[in-house]
Each structure stands twice: as structure tokens, then as C-alpha cells.
Amino acid sequence: MRMSFQNRRLMAPMAAVAALILIGGVLGARRLLARPSFDVSPFGKKVLREGGRRWLHLETPHFFYHAPDTERMVLVQDVAEFAYEKVCEYLPGAEPVRKGHVFSVSADMWDRVLREADRRRDSLAMQAGHEVFVLEGGAPAETSVRLAHEIVHYRVWQLWGERLPVWLDEGLAGCAGWDIAESFRLRKGWQLSRDWPAAEEGPAVDLAQLTGFSAYPAPGPEAQLFYRQCEAFVRAIARRIGFAKLPGFVDAQAEGESWDACLRGRFAF
């Protein structure tokens, strides 16, 4: 692993040395770079510029990490590395040469990030291509759920680009992301639970409607049902055909095959 450190705020030499020792002790040995440069999107560059000189940068075999302090760096690196290894077990395949980027974004920057990306206003994390952004703050267990979910989206994008229907992309992230977060929780000894709030009254959504969405619904009762049902549907499919066969089903969907015909014809659903 290599780490690059960029922070030019005035600080006492002993404090700087202590901070580097702390990072090194937690994350392992690496080479420090004075002026790191990264292959990120224009949007990623904007986030780095807005963070100014506060960023810490870490490189691992899979990702570059960008965080404002050692505590957040340790957390996001720990979660993302664990999540990526686990999701590659769910969804095996070749890894691209280009590494992903994980940004731990401060609260004062988050609204600007969302506006720039034109994302839902209630998002707490998001994935765009080879970049993942997660809002700082909250309990570590909460961050693990958010980040694991987005790492699944990232892995799906690695393997299938944007060729999956919306319900399947979101269902995979909901299903595998939660299972991965639970595994991470067990390793850490954390308490992790999920209590769905009662769904608001509204018209029922059948499978034809659910699988017909071409974009995410706007925040509200419809979106609440959409996220729940996507996860439940994908989990039901995986349990019926076996998680080991799930990538084959996803491959077929990426090629445009009907989910119903695929389940009936290939998996005797």
C-alpha cells in the first residue's frame, strides 16, 4: 500500500510526526507523497478542490481514499476494503486496471456535492462511475451500511456498466450491501439493526411496474416502496436459484433478456 499525504496547514513538527505515526500504525507502511495527483472525474476534482488542503490520501490495491482526518480515513478504508472483497465473492469477475476512489465528504460540502451531481436531496452516499462519495458523521455502523451499499453499486458498474435495469441495480445493492454490512458488524462486534418505518398508504406496485422503472422515483411513498421491493425481489430470486447462480441471471439482464423468461427458461422458476 502507498499513502499520499497533503496538508499544508501550519502545525508543530512534533504534531505532524505524531499524526503520521498514527496513520502508519493503523493502516500499515507506505510511501508519503508531497503533491499527489489522481485520475478522477471533473466532479471528483471539484470535490478535491473544495476540500482544499485538508485532505489525506491513501492508496490500496483497489482504491484511492480521500478523507479529512485520520479517524475517517481509517473507517472508510476498513469498510470499503472489506465490502469490496465480499462483493467480489457475490459477483466474481475480472478487476479493471483503473482503481476506484472513495471520498469521505464533510457536511459543509455535501449539499454542494449533491447539487453538482443532480442527485436526490436525501442521499447520504452515492456512486458515480469509479467514484464513491459518503457523508461524514453518524455512528460507524451507519457509515458501514451506507458505504457497503455504494461499494456494491460500484462493483455492479465495474462488471456491467449501466446496462442493468434500475430495479436490479438497486436490488443488488440493497440485498448484498446489507448482508455485507452485517458481516462487517459481526467482525467488529457492533450492534446493527434495521427497522423499516411503516410504508405510507398508496397504490400497490406489482412486479411489472417494479421492473418497468427506467429511473429512480422521486423521494416519497413511491420511492420508499421501490427500494424495499427491489431488495426483496432480488433476495427472493437469489434464494430460489442460489446466490452462486445470481451472476448468471444478472448477465442475462445486462444483455436485455426478460427477467421472467430468464427465470422460467434457465432456472425453472
Side-chain angles (χ1 to χ4, degrees):
M1 295 182 184
R2 292 183 300 157
M3 178 172 181
S4 55
F5 175 79
Q6 184 180 34
N7 188 339
R8 295 175 184 160
R9 291 174 297 177
L10 294 177
M11 63 190 323
M14 289 303 295
V17 171
L20 296 181
I21 291 174
L22 172 62
I23 299 170
V26 175
L27 299 176
R30 63 198 54 80
R31 183 165 61 93
L32 297 174
L33 302 177
R35 293 175 178 267
S37 61
F38 304 102
D39 180 17
V40 296
S41 69
F43 177 57
K45 290 178 181 177
K46 182 177 186 299
V47 173
L48 289 176
R49 285 197 303 271
E50 292 199 7
R53 298 173 178 178
R54 295 177 295 170
W55 292 109
L56 293 171
H57 307 282
L58 171 70
E59 181 182 4
T60 72
H62 304 301
F63 295 102
F64 289 100
Y65 295 91
H66 315 280
D69 57 59
T70 57
E71 182 178 4
R72 297 303 299 181
M73 178 67 81
V74 170
L75 176 60
V76 296
Q77 185 265 349
D78 196 16
V79 174
E81 293 294 320
F82 180 89
Y84 188 74
E85 290 181 7
K86 285 294 185 182
V87 75
C88 287
E89 295 175 8
Y90 277 91
L91 304 173
E95 292 188 33
V97 175
R98 188 179 188 182
K99 296 182 180 182
H101 290 260
V102 179
F103 299 78
S104 180
V105 181
S106 62
D108 63 342
M109 195 191 308
W110 190 254
D111 283 345
R112 297 194 297 276
V113 169
L114 288 174
R115 278 199 298 273
E116 180 73 15
D118 193 27
R119 295 301 181 100
R120 292 177 52 210
R121 305 302 299 175
D122 59 346
S123 296
L124 301 176
M126 64 182 185
Q127 173 266 333
H130 70 297
E131 297 168 352
V132 172
F133 303 85
V134 62
L135 175 64
E136 293 174 21
E142 294 175 359
T143 299
S144 71
V145 174
R146 300 174 196 169
L147 190 48
H149 184 100
E150 299 305 327
I151 292 297
V152 178
H153 277 306
Y154 169 75
R155 180 59 175 166
V156 167
W157 176 82
Q158 276 188 332
L159 296 175
W160 295 287
E162 299 180 356
R163 293 183 293 144
L164 296 190
V166 176
W167 68 268
L168 182 54
D169 192 346
E170 188 57 38
L172 286 168
C175 177
W178 180 258
D179 291 351
I180 290 167
E182 280 199 311
S183 296
F184 187 80
R185 180 264 302 180
L186 289 173
R187 193 187 74 164
K188 291 289 188 179
W190 293 346
Q191 182 67 33
L192 185 63
S193 62
R194 177 168 60 176
D195 296 320
W196 289 108
E200 297 182 29
E201 292 294 330
V205 178
D206 63 23
L207 284 179
Q209 291 172 305
L210 183 71
T211 57
F213 279 94
S214 59
Y216 285 90
E222 186 181 40
Q224 187 182 45
L225 284 173
F226 175 78
Y227 288 115
R228 292 187 188 188
Q229 290 183 265
C230 287
E231 178 178 342
F233 187 33
V234 170
R235 191 176 295 280
I237 292 171
R239 285 174 173 169
R240 180 62 182 268
I241 68 177
F243 278 89
K245 295 181 180 180
L246 189 58
F249 172 76
V250 180
D251 280 334
Q253 300 310 290
E255 297 301 321
E257 186 173 344
S258 160
W259 65 266
D260 186 51
C262 179
L263 290 176
R264 293 176 188 274
R266 295 194 189 192
F267 302 102
F269 203 98

